[in-house]
């Protein structure tokens, strides 16, 4: 059996807000209750399980999503429609811009709980950089 990521837990002050936000931006199936978690099912059978562990246990997480060009266009349109801040880089030095790293496109933005989300159309190291 190949080693695959099955799920990971993402701490949030409001698990439903983060899960709903992510599914809306990415155009995924709405989140579902899964015991004490709120589960977001990704297309590669990985589940993000949002939880509310208590403020002292929540740390900003970075989640990067590899998407198609069409999915990038749709998600980026939703980001702009909501008036969200976005950046071309993880240090937030290039606001209102996207990047063209590896010959694709990428963008960084924050979810309602402060998690740093990233959309990319090409995996890191797969092409040239701009």
């Amino acid at each position: 059996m190949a080693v695959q990521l099955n799920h990971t837990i993402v701490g949030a002050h409001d698990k439903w807000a983060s899960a709903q936000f992510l599914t809306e931006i990415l155009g995924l199936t709405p989140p579902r209750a899964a015991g004490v978690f709120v589960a977001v099912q990704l297309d590669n059978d990985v589940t993000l399980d949002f939880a509310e562990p208590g403020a002292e246990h929540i740390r900003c997480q970075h989640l990067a999503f590899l998407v198609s060009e069409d999915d990038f266009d749709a998600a980026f349109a939703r980001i702009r429609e909501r008036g969200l801040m976005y950046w071309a880089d993880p240090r937030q030095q290039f606001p209102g811009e996207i990047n063209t790293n590896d010959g694709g496109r990428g963008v960084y933005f924050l979810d309602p709980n402060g998690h740093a989300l990233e959309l990319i159309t090409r995996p890191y190291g797969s092409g040239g950089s701009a």
Side-chain angles (χ1 to χ4, degrees):
M1 175 179 206
V3 176
Q4 298 179 359
L5 179 64
N6 177 265
H7 70 278
T8 191
I9 296 172
V10 181
H13 299 288
D14 184 334
K15 60 188 177 185
W16 281 101
S18 274
Q20 187 68 37
F21 174 84
L22 185 62
T23 60
E24 289 172 0
I25 292 293
L26 295 180
L28 299 171
T29 303
R32 62 179 172 75
V36 298
F37 304 105
V38 176
V40 172
Q41 183 70 51
L42 302 180
D43 294 329
N44 60 346
D45 293 327
V46 172
T47 303
L48 300 177
D49 295 334
F50 289 86
E52 295 174 356
E56 68 278 5
H57 298 290
I58 297 173
R59 301 288 181 262
C60 175
Q61 288 184 256
H62 172 73
L63 302 170
F65 300 93
L66 179 62
V67 298
S68 70
E69 291 288 340
D70 289 341
D71 288 336
F72 184 94
D73 289 339
F76 189 53
R78 291 181 200 109
I79 290 167
R80 289 185 309 218
E81 286 168 6
R82 289 177 177 231
L84 299 175
M85 290 289 304
Y86 60 89
W87 300 267
D89 65 305
R91 294 187 177 146
Q92 302 177 352
Q93 296 176 336
F94 299 98
E97 297 180 32
I98 65 170
N99 67 60
T100 55
N101 298 340
D102 290 299
R105 294 183 291 163
V107 66
Y108 296 81
F109 58 104
L110 302 177
D111 89 339
N113 285 280
H115 295 301
L117 305 179
E118 177 184 11
L119 303 178
I120 55 174
T121 60
R122 296 279 306 264
Y124 288 139
S126 66
S129 62

